[in-house]
Amino acid sequence: PRSTLFPYTTLFRSITNNTTSSDTPKVINVTFIVSPVSQNLVLSQSGLTFVGVQGGSSIPPQTFGVLNTGSGGSAMSWTITSSTSSGGNWLSVTPTSGTSIAAAAGTLPTIPLVTVGVNVSGLAAGQYLASLTVKAPNANNGTQVVSIVLQVLPAGQNPGPIVRPTGLIFVAPAGATPSTPQTITLSTAYGKTVNATIRPTTRDGAN
């Protein structure tokens, strides 16, 4: 069976064709080469930016996806390590390991989401930098990095509303309406009530 073969295995098979007893047998050589299933590490985001206020409210977390754009439904294992340049341990990441499954015939890929959070408690106003290193040892490009920027504003300064997510994608056949609604969340790191107005507009396709 094909599932028991190893990558780079080459098989030779001779097929003898006897049409009648008087015919000379014809031999056809068949070569079957098994190629390795590839894994390719791709991140949905290469950087995340957070804006908070010194002594203000908590900041909503953000997410990014870990994709395996390889082939044949391959399972790609990965791990994440985090590092902050200053300010101590203000960054959190969940999970720090997982498995991403590539697409295969008739199946969609499995894309795990990683949640990234920040904590401004005890931080002075200023900019703080960090990085997340994602490693998949068996992938063609085994290491990818997500850059994190945290901007802490002085106490009492209003950064405005925080919108999550910043974009939505709907998919539907022509003439049909997407059946599943999506949600946008508004919040603030100001520590006080912030009023916001939502005004929907369309660029094409009418309203």
Side-chain angles (χ1 to χ4, degrees):
R2 181 179 177 180
S3 60
T4 62
L5 301 179
F6 295 97
Y8 304 111
T9 300
T10 303
L11 301 180
F12 296 94
R13 177 77 179 273
S14 295
I15 301 175
T16 302
N17 180 21
N18 287 322
T19 55
T20 66
S21 59
S22 62
D23 290 337
T24 301
K26 297 179 177 62
V27 177
I28 303 173
N29 292 321
V30 179
T31 303
F32 181 54
I33 300 176
V34 181
S35 299
V37 175
S38 65
Q39 300 177 11
N40 192 56
L41 173 62
V42 175
L43 305 180
S44 63
Q45 302 277 78
S46 60
L48 299 172
T49 299
F50 297 85
V51 179
V53 178
Q54 183 181 10
S57 302
S58 60
I59 305 172
Q62 299 186 51
T63 62
F64 67 90
V66 182
L67 295 78
N68 176 9
T69 60
S71 60
S74 59
M76 181 187 69
S77 298
W78 46 266
T79 59
I80 299 178
T81 56
S82 60
S83 175
T84 57
S85 60
S86 61
N89 188 22
W90 48 266
L91 183 68
S92 63
V93 184
T94 305
T96 56
S97 63
T99 301
S100 302
I101 310 298
T107 61
L108 296 175
T110 300
I111 306 174
L113 293 179
V114 177
T115 300
V116 182
V118 298
N119 183 3
V120 299
S121 299
L123 294 180
Q127 186 180 82
Y128 299 84
L129 304 178
S131 63
L132 302 176
T133 303
V134 185
K135 292 187 176 181
N138 295 324
N140 298 326
N141 53 338
T143 302
Q144 299 290 314
V145 177
V146 178
S147 300
I148 309 295
V149 177
L150 169 60
Q151 185 69 42
V152 181
L153 302 179
Q157 188 168 338
N158 182 5
I162 299 173
V163 181
R164 296 283 186 272
T166 57
L168 299 174
I169 297 177
F170 293 88
V171 179
T177 301
S179 59
T180 304
Q182 299 186 50
T183 302
I184 295 175
T185 301
L186 299 180
S187 60
T188 180
Y190 184 36
K192 300 179 181 180
T193 300
V194 174
N195 295 321
T197 301
I198 299 177
R199 183 179 298 107
T201 58
T202 57
R203 293 185 179 180
D204 49 31
N207 190 3

